[in-house]
Amino acid sequence: MDTSSAQNRPLNIIDALHYLDTVKTRFHDRPEVYNRFIDIMKDFKSDMIDTQGVTERVLCLFAAHNDLILGFNAFLPVGWFTETGLDGTITIHSPDGTTRVFPNRAPSLPYDA
């Protein structure tokens, strides 16, 4: 997967608003998902959670929505990115070369951590 395009350009307001609109539209029948995403992003912006934490929470929240997971790369700092595997996994890559692999499936309970 090519993640270089998301990492070589800064996130602009149009991209961010488009992503937010996509999330809101996708979960129009579940507004708590959109609201939880906003809360997660607020926690990240206020340094209550780190990049690993925000990424894991978003992956859990958007499980099985690969386009939203991949689109989230635009919000991550340089060197961080996610990719989806053909085997149904999601991999988080960090700038230090660390990777973490997660199953890409809907959680049985909402992510509240």
Side-chain angles (χ1 to χ4, degrees), residues 9-51:
R9 66 179 176 84
L11 178 67
N12 68 50
I13 192 70
I14 304 241
D15 293 337
L17 291 174
H18 177 69
Y19 186 82
L20 289 172
D21 189 53
T22 300
V23 172
K24 194 172 201 175
T25 301
R26 176 76 49 88
F27 297 104
H28 71 280
D29 59 338
R30 296 179 54 210
E32 69 277 5
V33 174
Y34 175 80
N35 292 335
R36 181 67 185 131
F37 176 69
I38 296 300
D39 290 342
I40 291 167
M41 295 307 292
K42 286 179 185 175
D43 288 349
F44 180 55
K45 184 172 172 100
S46 67
D47 293 325
M48 291 175 63
I49 55 176
D50 62 7
T51 302

